[in-house]
Structures are given as C-alpha cells and as structure tokens.
Amino acid sequence: PDRIVVGTTSTKAEEVMQNLYEPFVAQGAKLFVMDSRSAEMTKYAANSFLATKISFMNEMANLCELTGADVDAVRLGVGSDDRIGAKFMYPGIGYGGSCFPKDVKALYKTAKDHNYDFQILNAVEKVNDSQKLKLVEKIQNHYKGNLKGKRFALWGLAFKPDTDDIREAPALEIIKQIIEAGASVVAYDPEAIPNTKKYFGDKSGLDFVEDEYKALSDADALIIATEWSQFRAPDFELVKSKLKSATIFDGRNLYNPATIKAKGFHYESIGREVV
C-alpha cells in the first residue's frame, strides 16, 4: 500500500499496529494513526473522491461528443496538472465493483443520518447509473430504436479486468437492456462467466462462449464492456469476417478511432468521434 490508515485511541493498539506495518513503512508507505471515526471517514472519502473523478470525466466525455472535442486529448491535458493527476481520469461506462458503489452510498447515508445533504455524492451516483447505459443509448440510436431480432457479441463481464467480480458491473445492465429491447447477447469473459451465469440464471436471450471470437459468429455488432488486455489487440480481420456488419461499440476506448476506421469498421466509443 502507498499509505496505511489506522483508527484507534488505544496507545497499546497503536504500538502493535506500528510494529506490524513497519516493513511497509520501511519501504516508503506512510502510516497515519487517528481516531476510529476519522479513519472510517478517510476510507469512505478516498473512494468517493475517486468515484467523483470518474463520474466527472464521464460527464466531460458526454460533453465532448456534443461539442466535437476529443476526451482523450482533454484527459491528457487536464491530467498533466499535478494538482489533479492522471489517475482515474479515463472515461467509460461507469464504475462498478464493491468498494466505490458501497462507499459512495455509505458516505451519503452517513451525511443523511446527520441531516446533511451531500449533493455531490448524489450527483456522482446518478451520473454513474446513467453512464452504464451509454452504450445502449448509442446502439439504440444506431439501429434507429429497433433491436428486435438483433444479436450482439459482448466482450467483458467483470467490472474491471483481471477479476471475476461482477458486482455493480456495467455489463449486467447492458445485457438487461438489450434483451428487454428484443435482442440477444452472446457473452465472453476470461474469468467472470460462472458468476454471471449465477446472477442471471437461465435467462432467455443470453448465451456464453469460451472464446471471444466464437461470440462474434452471426452477431450484428460487437460490444466491449471490460478492458481485458487480450481485447486490446484482436485480429481485426477475423473480427470483421465473423460479424454480420463491421460494427463495434466500445465502452472502454480501447482502439484509436482513425486506425480502426482505416480497417473498415463503424466504431463508436466514449467521448470521441464516431467513425
């Protein structure tokens, strides 16, 4: 860890914890000791602030689409400011997992319990909920509101790469909305398929495959919901040959729009031009 926060008012407990974490401190980690309430608030505040950065950049991405700006250029320019930093500045289809959603809700409830209206956190949560459906909105617009009978390949189910965790994952909402619109989904994820099967049960219109390219067969378009490293450099010719139409809706901005346009794809991402 880059820092360790210990909440205690016990001198003995503080001494024990300092001894326990000494190997980390010796390697440069910072150790902060404070009262338990402040430690709890620090944890909630840290994750809520990072969630706020994500929701802010997602709002910026949506505005960039309307104004013709490129959110990647904006992200780099803003993130280069040392006061802001480049981390958690990537737009996409919202945050998920356990910590960010849980801690935003917990901090908001703490404020509410003390009769304080924490307006920013309310907005962060609303933005995140709507951002999870941003790709569905793009898909609906592309097909002029008619998804009946369409088949979509979905790459990525986990809320982030290198995990099987699907808690609050945007992919789950995308699947629900697309199937409700009368389409079907064939999904692939390197780790999260078992958990997703448990989540949905025997849901009509949803199938799973054990290879990302198998998901593409007879699909009208590809949807990317998680930025697994193996999705970053696919065989684009194979992707094009398997899809009915060379169309990609990318919720994680994995590809350069100009490059993928040159490969013959219709490509829609977050906060960047449609090509």
Side-chain angles (χ1 to χ4, degrees):
D2 57 357
R3 92 285 196 195
I4 299 143
V5 178
V6 176
T8 183
T9 54
S10 164
T11 303
K12 181 180 179 181
E14 179 180 343
E15 185 178 316
V16 170
M17 298 302 279
Q18 285 180 334
N19 289 335
L20 176 65
Y21 285 110
E22 176 57 32
F24 294 104
V25 174
Q27 296 178 51
K30 297 176 182 178
L31 177 67
F32 299 95
V33 180
M34 59 189 74
D35 64 275
S36 298
R37 181 56 58 88
S38 296
E40 179 182 3
M41 195 68 77
T42 298
K43 197 265 188 180
Y44 286 161
N47 279 340
S48 295
F49 186 79
L50 295 177
T52 301
K53 288 184 73 173
I54 293 171
S55 282
F56 180 83
M57 283 309 299
N58 283 334
E59 289 275 74
M60 286 302 305
N62 297 337
L63 184 58
C64 283
E65 289 184 10
L66 296 174
T67 61
D70 185 326
V71 74
D72 279 346
V74 174
R75 171 180 60 80
L76 291 172
V78 174
S80 66
D81 188 326
D82 289 339
R83 298 170 300 173
I84 297 172
K87 293 183 178 180
F88 293 88
M89 294 287 284
Y90 291 86
I93 47 176
Y95 59 78
S98 61
C99 288
F100 284 7
K102 171 177 61 64
D103 287 357
V104 169
K105 286 181 172 66
L107 189 54
Y108 185 76
K109 184 180 184 301
T110 299
K112 193 173 182 180
D113 289 345
H114 290 78
N115 298 314
Y116 183 75
D117 184 13
F118 208 140
Q119 299 176 63
I120 290 176
L121 289 186
N122 188 33
V124 166
E125 197 166 33
K126 286 183 177 179
V127 168
N128 195 61
D129 288 343
S130 63
Q131 195 69 18
K132 288 182 178 182
L133 299 178
K134 190 65 180 177
L135 278 191
V136 177
E137 177 186 317
K138 290 176 178 289
I139 292 166
Q140 289 277 14
N141 290 338
H142 179 74
Y143 292 103
K144 296 178 171 54
N146 183 17
L147 300 187
K148 289 184 178 179
K150 293 284 190 289
R151 179 183 175 98
F152 293 95
L154 177 68
W155 284 2
L157 296 166
F159 85 93
K160 69 177 182 178
D162 304 314
T163 181
D164 65 353
D165 194 343
I166 62 168
R167 287 174 291 181
E168 305 284 344
L172 305 182
E173 294 302 317
I174 292 171
I175 290 170
K176 290 176 186 176
Q177 293 293 320
I178 286 179
I179 292 178
E180 286 179 10
S184 60
V185 176
V186 182
Y188 168 76
D189 187 282
E191 300 289 344
I193 289 177
N195 285 339
T196 309
K197 285 182 176 179
K198 291 177 184 177
Y199 178 86
F200 280 108
D202 188 19
K203 188 173 183 64
S204 177
L206 175 61
D207 293 303
F208 302 92
V209 291
E210 297 301 322
D211 176 87
E212 63 261 47
Y213 295 107
K214 287 183 180 179
L216 303 172
S217 297
D218 296 321
D220 291 276
L222 167 62
I223 302 169
I224 300 175
T226 312
E227 62 274 32
W228 285 93
S229 59
Q230 68 193 75
F231 301 157
R232 293 184 179 276
D235 183 336
F236 284 109
E237 290 305 315
L238 182 57
V239 172
K240 188 190 295 186
S241 69
K242 285 184 170 291
L243 289 173
K244 288 182 180 178
S245 173
T247 303
I248 299 177
F249 298 95
D250 181 4
R252 299 301 181 183
N253 290 4
L254 296 188
Y255 312 127
N256 180 285
T259 301
I260 202 164
K261 179 182 179 180
K263 295 181 181 294
F265 284 88
H266 173 84
Y267 180 66
E268 299 193 31
S269 52
I270 305 297
R272 304 184 298 179
E273 66 172 326
V274 174
V275 299

